[in-house]
Amino acid sequence: SQKIEQNSEALNIQEGKTATLTCNYTNYSPAYLQWYRQDPGRGPVFLLLIRENEKEKRKERLKVTFDTTLKQSLFHITASQPADSATYLCALNRRALTFGSGTRLQVQP
Amino acid sequence: DGGITQSPKYLFRKEGQNVTLSCEQNLNHDAMYWYRQDPGQGLRLIYYSQIVNDFQKGDIAEGYSVSREKKESFPLTVTSAQKNPTAFYLCASSEDRSRMNTEAFFGQGTRLTVV
């Protein structure tokens, strides 16, 4: 069956550093992949979408890569800030958007 | 304001009761979805609908039912058959699932607790 795996352990980094989050998937070849941010007690908010023919996508301090050979996407936040602290979810479109379990990012001031 | 609205924000259910969670959107989106989220977990798909009067089971549909009588509305009923209903429920919508490349917009969620 299809699996979407994100590191379940929280990622703790210092302010100003680059945070890198990983999303791996198996048994599927998505045409695109999405990243969302979720704050506690709230619904996820869309951040970026990357298509299979795009190796990299950027939006302000965010960068996403998509390696269809490795079946992996990396999500980077450069010059991280405490306000970036949240859970980040990757999602693939199968019958509907299917989400990974998310990785919690904590940026220390 | 365009958006997707879930109500209520908090809901308490007694054992054996059915409860209905409301989800309304004014984004003119064709597709709507219901997800369940347990503490520290990701989102699991309960039901989705691509068009009015049609809906499909997701990965964990047992104990739940939905209807899609209007484009704007996609209510979820948690029935007494759902043995562990305590969770955070999220409704979402997107323009058109068949395009496969549109973002989803989420409501603020309903936290359901069995008492």
Side-chain angles (χ1 to χ4, degrees):
Chain A
S1 63
Q2 178 191 23
K3 281 188 178 180
I4 304 170
E5 295 179 342
Q6 294 185 256
N7 192 343
S8 59
E9 292 184 14
L11 177 63
N12 291 288
I13 64 169
Q14 287 296 122
E15 182 175 6
K17 301 293 186 184
T18 296
T20 298
L21 286 69
T22 304
C23 175
N24 295 297
Y25 58 92
T26 59
N27 299 329
Y28 190 60
S29 296
Y32 66 98
L33 184 146
Q34 301 184 22
W35 283 89
Y36 289 76
R37 168 182 174 144
Q38 186 177 25
D39 291 289
R42 303 179 73 88
V45 175
F46 172 80
L47 295 174
L48 279 170
L49 178 152
I50 185 166
R51 294 178 174 78
E52 62 178 341
N53 60 351
E54 296 175 317
K55 297 300 180 186
E56 181 180 298
K57 196 83 168 278
R58 291 176 184 263
K59 179 183 176 182
E60 297 174 350
R61 294 185 296 112
L62 308 180
K63 184 179 83 171
V64 172
T65 63
F66 193 10
D67 189 326
T68 55
T69 301
L70 292 178
K71 293 187 181 295
Q72 180 181 80
S73 175
L74 298 179
F75 177 80
H76 307 272
I77 304 176
T78 59
S80 60
Q81 305 166 1
D84 295 326
S85 298
T87 296
Y88 292 86
L89 301 155
C90 68
L92 308 175
N93 196 302
R94 190 168 52 108
R95 296 177 294 164
L97 268 181
T98 302
F99 286 82
S101 56
T103 298
R104 189 164 61 87
L105 172 66
Q106 188 69 39
V107 180
Q108 305 292 343
Chain B
D1 281 338
I4 181 164
T5 303
Q6 290 185 242
S7 62
K9 189 170 182 178
Y10 299 96
L11 186 58
F12 298 89
R13 190 195 95 168
K14 292 184 179 179
E15 295 277 356
Q17 277 186 339
N18 292 354
V19 289
T20 297
L21 284 59
S22 170
C23 179
E24 303 277 333
Q25 55 99 358
N26 60 4
L27 300 166
N28 199 33
H29 285 171
D30 289 317
M32 296 187 74
Y33 316 86
W34 274 105
Y35 293 90
R36 168 181 173 143
Q37 188 173 34
D38 293 284
Q41 304 294 314
L43 281 64
R44 292 187 289 169
L45 182 66
I46 305 173
Y47 268 98
Y48 64 99
S49 168
Q50 300 171 10
I51 196 169
V52 175
N53 292 322
D54 184 59
F55 49 82
Q56 305 296 327
K57 291 182 179 180
D59 299 317
I60 55 165
E62 185 175 351
Y64 300 98
S65 66
V66 293
S67 63
R68 186 84 187 275
E69 297 177 0
K70 298 186 298 182
K71 188 175 184 178
E72 314 81 61
S73 179
F74 191 40
L76 173 74
T77 297
V78 184
T79 75
S80 57
Q82 171 50 238
K83 297 307 178 189
N84 185 22
T86 295
F88 188 47
Y89 290 87
L90 287 159
C91 180
S93 69
S94 63
E95 279 186 6
D96 181 352
R97 194 200 76 86
S98 65
R99 292 183 194 171
M100 303 287 284
N101 64 349
T102 54
E103 66 185 90
F105 291 79
F106 283 84
Q108 290 304 299
T110 293
R111 191 168 298 280
L112 174 64
T113 303
V114 174
V115 297

